Amino acid sequence: MATRSLLHSIRGRLTNGGSNLIRNAESSRFYKPYSADAAIGSSPVEEPDEKDDLKSRIFRLRLPKRSATTVLEKWVGEGNQITVNELRDISRELRRTRRYKHALEVTEYLVQHEESNISDADYASRIDLISKVFGIDAAERYFEGLQLASKTSETYTSLLHAYAASKQTERAEALFKRITESDSLLTFGAITYNEMMTLYMSVGEVEKVTEVIQVMKRKKVSLDIFTYNLWLSSCAATFKIDELKKILEGMRRDGGSDEGWSRYIDLTSIYIDSSRLSNAESSLPVESESESEKAITQREWVTYDFLMILHTGLGNKDMVDQIWKSLRNTNQKLSSRSYICVISSYLMLGHLREAGEVVDQWKESKTTEFDASACLRVLNAFRDVGLEEKASDFHLLLVQKKCSLDNEVS
């Protein structure tokens, strides 16, 4: 896979997985022409050989062509009961493990047997599953076929998410216009607007992110941490540093006392001050270690740094691990800025061992020269935001790693 494609995959997987920009809604109404069995074909069920509950039976269906519907019918035929919440939980877990066809079958059973209990979240989930199993056109037809009462903010957002995930920009823009110009009484929260901004970031139209922000402000929609991350990321990617700092100042004034919110603001400030972003770098590519790989520009790298900052703010250390591992596994030459970002993230989360490992990786790198002055800037940036203890921890870590800062100028 080309590095550029890999990085787009990383952004899509982590932003949608960690932040879950489209809510993990479960099941919804599903018309017979889109029966999940029709996607692959039905076949006999594997006999249970271990734990014998409904979830275990369904998860023993190793191949997509196996039928979850048959398992459900057999379970009931044996005199067992199935609750709505049980079906939703099973569907959610199947979605989490990317077993979309089986998740579709489970929610189809829910619709057929518990129609009076179907929620807006169920309909939204069905749209998402249909798009994954049958494609965007099928998801769109399903949405348009819903009764007016079922065309809610959740189902609109789910279809917008499907468009964004497949980078269908024109369709997404048409639906977004329909949403924002509608005279209906529906209320759309930040999650809907975040979908549109995520799409623009993923297709490189970062300048349009600010346009979405303006729509939100006009409609008095509250911005959440994901909205701010997309907005700040777009500013950093276009190297509008003054605007970025103004946004941060506004976040400090308007934000609450939430620890994640404060951590995000502090880390963004540390990153901006220590990485020394400049307009001159916006079009410069990062060297690739493989001639067959297309080099990634500094502008693109910045967006991934902000993805890491977001997950640090949310306290998702596992996601920070995953992003860093994925970036290191590319054939691209990592910049000092990337090292600064991940070291600062681990320090912010209190994981000194991991921060030390990254320092070692940087010192051992054959392509990116270790920059002690950058480490000193990180140290000073932590002090500037009042995190003296973390600054002291980092200073001690650098001493242990024999990184001399005596002759460095911040």
Side-chain angles (χ1 to χ4, degrees):
M1 178 187 292
T3 302
R4 191 182 302 271
S5 298
L6 173 61
L7 290 176
H8 282 315
S9 174
I10 293 170
R11 168 170 281 278
R13 186 169 64 250
L14 295 178
T15 45
N16 294 332
S19 63
N20 226 356
L21 296 181
I22 178 65
R23 290 187 190 124
N24 208 3
E26 286 86 45
S27 21
S28 118
R29 184 177 312 232
F30 190 65
Y31 297 139
K32 190 172 182 180
Y34 300 133
S35 168
D37 281 336
I40 301 176
S42 131
S43 90
V45 182
E46 292 182 356
E47 290 299 320
D49 53 5
E50 298 176 1
K51 187 176 181 180
D52 191 30
D53 59 21
L54 179 59
K55 180 178 178 180
S56 298
R57 287 191 185 186
I58 291 175
F59 272 82
R60 279 196 289 271
L61 302 176
R62 302 299 181 189
L63 301 176
K65 68 179 181 179
R66 303 283 190 179
S67 173
T69 304
T70 307
V71 173
L72 291 162
E73 291 173 346
K74 182 177 179 181
W75 180 260
V76 173
E78 293 173 357
N80 298 304
Q81 299 294 317
I82 306 177
T83 67
V84 172
N85 287 336
E86 185 177 12
L87 290 171
R88 287 172 176 157
D89 289 343
I90 292 173
S91 174
R92 184 186 298 111
E93 186 66 17
L94 287 167
R95 285 162 58 91
R96 189 186 67 79
T97 55
R98 300 176 182 270
R99 295 173 64 171
Y100 303 123
K101 185 257 187 180
H102 289 149
L104 206 50
E105 292 175 325
V106 171
T107 56
E108 181 177 357
Y109 187 91
L110 171 63
V111 167
Q112 291 175 350
H113 296 82
E114 300 287 347
E115 186 169 1
S116 62
N117 293 317
I118 301 302
S119 67
D120 293 343
D122 295 327
Y123 288 115
S125 177
R126 294 303 286 251
I127 292 170
D128 183 54
L129 287 170
I130 292 169
S131 71
K132 288 177 167 60
V133 177
F134 292 102
I136 293 297
D137 290 343
E140 186 179 84
R141 287 194 297 271
Y142 175 75
F143 172 80
E144 296 298 349
L146 290 173
Q147 295 179 0
L148 183 60
S150 300
K151 291 181 178 177
T152 64
S153 58
E154 290 195 63
T155 53
Y156 270 106
T157 302
S158 185
L159 183 60
L160 184 62
H161 171 74
Y163 288 152
S166 58
K167 296 182 174 60
Q168 300 271 344
T169 306
E170 290 186 6
R171 281 176 157 179
E173 288 179 334
L175 182 63
F176 186 64
K177 183 177 181 180
R178 183 173 163 185
I179 289 170
T180 57
E181 296 183 357
S182 172
D183 293 328
S184 72
L185 298 178
L186 295 179
T187 301
F188 293 88
I191 186 174
T192 306
Y193 297 85
N194 292 347
E195 289 290 355
M196 204 65 212
M197 288 186 282
T198 299
L199 170 61
Y200 285 140
M201 293 296 295
S202 69
V203 298
E205 298 183 30
V206 295
E207 295 81 3
K208 291 186 176 182
V209 169
T210 302
E211 296 176 12
V212 179
I213 294 292
Q214 295 308 314
V215 175
M216 294 183 73
K217 289 184 175 181
R218 187 172 69 249
K219 290 187 168 290
K220 296 180 171 55
V221 178
S222 298
L223 282 62
D224 62 19
I225 192 170
F226 308 110
T227 312
Y228 275 112
N229 186 68
L230 288 161
W231 190 10
L232 290 168
S233 180
S234 71
C235 291
T238 51
F239 294 84
K240 298 177 180 177
I241 309 307
D242 290 339
E243 182 176 347
L244 190 155
K245 290 182 176 179
K246 288 180 181 178
I247 297 170
L248 280 178
E249 290 173 3
M251 290 179 72
R252 288 191 186 279
R253 287 195 307 270
D254 303 334
S257 58
D258 179 77
E259 180 182 356
W261 185 272
S262 300
R263 184 166 54 221
Y264 177 83
I265 295 172
D266 286 341
L267 183 56
T268 303
S269 298
I270 290 167
Y271 173 77
I272 296 302
D273 291 342
S274 59
S275 63
R276 290 184 170 174
L277 289 171
S278 70
N279 289 313
E281 296 175 298
S282 61
S283 61
L284 294 177
V286 178
E287 295 177 16
S288 172
E289 296 176 19
S290 168
E291 293 183 359
S292 63
E293 297 273 5
K294 187 174 181 180
I296 299 173
T297 64
Q298 295 282 1
R299 169 173 166 164
E300 290 172 307
W301 276 117
V302 168
T303 64
Y304 299 107
D305 290 343
F306 270 85
L307 187 59
M308 191 177 299
I309 291 170
L310 170 63
H311 285 290
T312 302
L314 295 171
N316 294 337
K317 191 260 185 182
D318 289 345
M319 287 296 183
V320 175
D321 292 342
Q322 188 175 345
I323 297 169
W324 181 238
K325 180 179 178 182
S326 297
L327 294 180
R328 289 191 70 219
N329 285 341
T330 69
N331 287 324
Q332 302 291 325
K333 175 184 176 181
L334 294 173
S335 67
S336 295
R337 185 179 297 124
S338 295
Y339 285 102
I340 288 172
C341 184
V342 69
I343 289 171
S344 300
S345 295
Y346 283 134
L347 289 172
M348 185 64 75
L349 292 173
H351 292 280
L352 292 177
R353 179 177 62 82
E354 287 82 351
E357 290 174 353
V358 176
V359 170
D360 289 337
Q361 292 164 5
W362 193 358
K363 293 178 70 176
E364 295 167 3
S365 172
K366 297 179 180 178
T367 58
T368 308
E369 184 178 357
F370 179 74
D371 186 353
S373 64
C375 291
L376 181 57
R377 291 197 301 273
V378 171
L379 189 66
N380 290 333
F382 269 93
R383 286 173 175 156
D384 289 343
V385 297
L387 297 175
E388 185 65 41
E389 184 176 347
K390 291 186 183 295
S392 297
D393 289 341
F394 186 42
H395 185 265
L396 179 59
L397 177 66
L398 291 173
V399 171
Q400 292 172 346
K401 298 293 180 181
K402 296 181 171 57
C403 302
S404 176
L405 303 180
D406 294 340
N407 298 321
E408 301 297 334
V409 178
S410 64

